[in-house]
Amino acid sequence: MERTMLRRRALAAGTAALAVGALALAGLTGVASADPAGATAPAAAPGTLPPGLIKALQRDLGLDAQEAAARTGNEYRAAVIASGLEKSLGASFAGARVSGDGAALTVATTDASEAARITGVGADAEVVGHSLDRLEAAKAALDKAARHTTPEGVPSWYVDMRTNRVVVNAADTSAADTFLAAAGVSRSVVKVNRSGEQPRALADLRGGDAYYMNGSGRCSIGFPVRRGTQNGFVTAGHCGRAGTTTNGVNQQAQGSFQASTFPGRDYAWVATNANWTPRALVNGYGRGDVTVAGSTEMLEGSSVCRSGSTTGWHCGTIQQRNTSVTYPEGTISPVTRTSVCAEPGDSGGSFISGSQAQGVTSGGSGNCSSGGTTYFQPVNAALQVYGLTLMTSGTPTDPPTDPTDPPTEPGGTWAAGTTYAAGATVTYGGVGYRCLQGHQAQAGWQPPNVPALWQRL
């Protein structure tokens, strides 16, 4: 495949960065450009990132405090821009990624005439042979085949933005060819890598605060959530099944699993009793807790950190989203593949980029002495499937008690889980609204509730 780099315009690493500490709904200020991909952002400052997160980024990515603030801010801005371009490019969109400490954004397209649109918002334009839709269709065929028969000698596969291919990691070529034949996927869109990985679910583990299942096994809280007035948390599905009881880090009664999926997916949610209050925090293990402000999914190449009781804070980069990985119990898809290390004791815990929740630790290979690969289950998928609201810095600690609150949504085009770019318009309750700041909508962020995000028309 011939690939043509048309233009490079790196995102400014200081003044254009988004202040991670200002991502709480109450802190979003200013009106973004009406260009669907042209979200603007205030400058970042080193003090806006928790000290523990800065130290982990310094250690694992070689960044100083100013670079860490600039990078995480630019990565958030790039994600918003890429979301807008995905909508405007349509079928020609071929993926997006960031690279380098400055988080330079590259957006790929199969249509060379769209290059000017991409470079016009400060991104690199790359013309490639396969659209993202085509690659994801090939990966979906592989996923379907894996649901029928676990592929032997094929630990993982994913859509790779850098190579514009579906990468199949396999013990040998014959294992990959057998898998491709079973799925009916052409080699023309596939790159086969030799891999000795032997990923496994990190059972009896924790990433944030510990909890114990049925008084024995141990896992960890991913992110606190709420469903209506019921408090709880999301975690890895392999940690328990519906009905499994839990005790908290203090060994006191905590709650029980309400729903769990594994294999296929690797997520679950636990409802807790009234003794447990959810907080929008990730355990910083003595370095300062990290506040969760949202769950915007970062692009490939973005920095990401994991909190775990065995290995503490460790950081790396997002390598590929929409990955499929084969454990002994079966195939999990889609998960996100990262360069972050993990060890037994870290499972189910929090993956976070800046202040944005990314997912819960699923499994991986290697360790934190020699390095490794770790996969996380995206948190937004769990929120959507189970109808949960992520606890963020903009979420009241106490659940709403006003009996006059409407029991159902009043209708309109606005929908939780949708990514909105600046300038987008929606209706809600018979009223029109214009998006002021690109974001991924969450339950509770209805337009009339968040004037920092939506302007009434």
Side-chain angles (χ1 to χ4, degrees), residues 51-242:
L53 187 60
I54 291 176
K55 289 181 180 179
L57 287 167
Q58 288 175 320
R59 180 194 63 205
D60 294 337
L61 296 181
L63 304 176
D64 62 27
Q66 184 64 47
E67 290 169 339
R71 174 165 177 161
T72 54
N74 282 339
E75 289 167 350
Y76 182 90
R77 181 174 182 268
V80 173
I81 292 173
S83 176
L85 284 172
E86 181 175 5
K87 290 180 174 64
S88 63
L89 293 175
S92 70
F93 180 75
R97 66 183 188 275
V98 296
S99 58
D101 293 344
L105 173 62
T106 298
V107 177
T109 178
T110 58
D111 185 352
S113 68
E114 297 283 13
R117 184 196 300 266
I118 296 169
T119 57
V121 295
D124 299 341
E126 199 169 40
V127 178
V128 297
H130 308 298
S131 70
L132 184 59
D133 286 344
R134 182 180 181 187
L135 295 177
E136 289 187 337
K139 181 183 174 293
L142 294 172
D143 292 346
K144 183 177 180 180
R147 286 195 292 270
H148 290 88
T149 304
T150 300
E152 294 291 337
V154 183
S156 62
W157 56 97
Y158 46 79
V159 174
D160 185 28
M161 303 300 179
R162 293 185 181 277
T163 61
N164 193 231
R165 292 286 192 276
V166 176
V167 172
V168 174
N169 291 320
D172 51 50
T173 303
S174 63
D177 288 340
T178 299
F179 185 33
L180 294 176
V185 172
S186 170
R187 267 282 200 150
S188 65
V189 296
V190 172
K191 177 183 178 183
V192 176
N193 285 341
R194 290 287 297 273
S195 173
E197 289 184 19
Q198 295 181 342
R200 78 283 186 197
L202 303 175
D204 294 333
L205 314 168
R206 72 166 180 156
D209 286 345
Y211 69 92
Y212 300 84
M213 299 83 70
N214 288 336
S216 56
R218 176 169 59 90
C219 270
S220 62
I221 295 172
F223 293 95
V225 297
R226 177 172 291 150
R227 184 174 180 178
T229 59
Q230 176 63 60
N231 295 327
F233 59 87
V234 291
T235 187
H238 68 262
C239 290
R241 293 287 179 258

Side-chain angles (χ1 to χ4, degrees), residues 20 29 106 159 169 192 239 249 318 321 356 444:
V20 174
T29 59
T106 298
V159 174
N169 291 320
V192 176
C239 290
V249 64
I318 293 173
R321 289 161 56 185
Q356 300 297 307

Side-chain angles (χ1 to χ4, degrees), residues 368-398:
C368 288
S369 297
S370 59
T373 297
T374 302
Y375 301 90
F376 68 77
Q377 173 74 63
V379 68
N380 285 333
L383 299 178
Q384 183 176 7
V385 166
Y386 298 135
L388 306 172
T389 300
L390 178 70
M391 293 297 296
T392 69
S393 52
T395 307
T397 298
D398 296 322

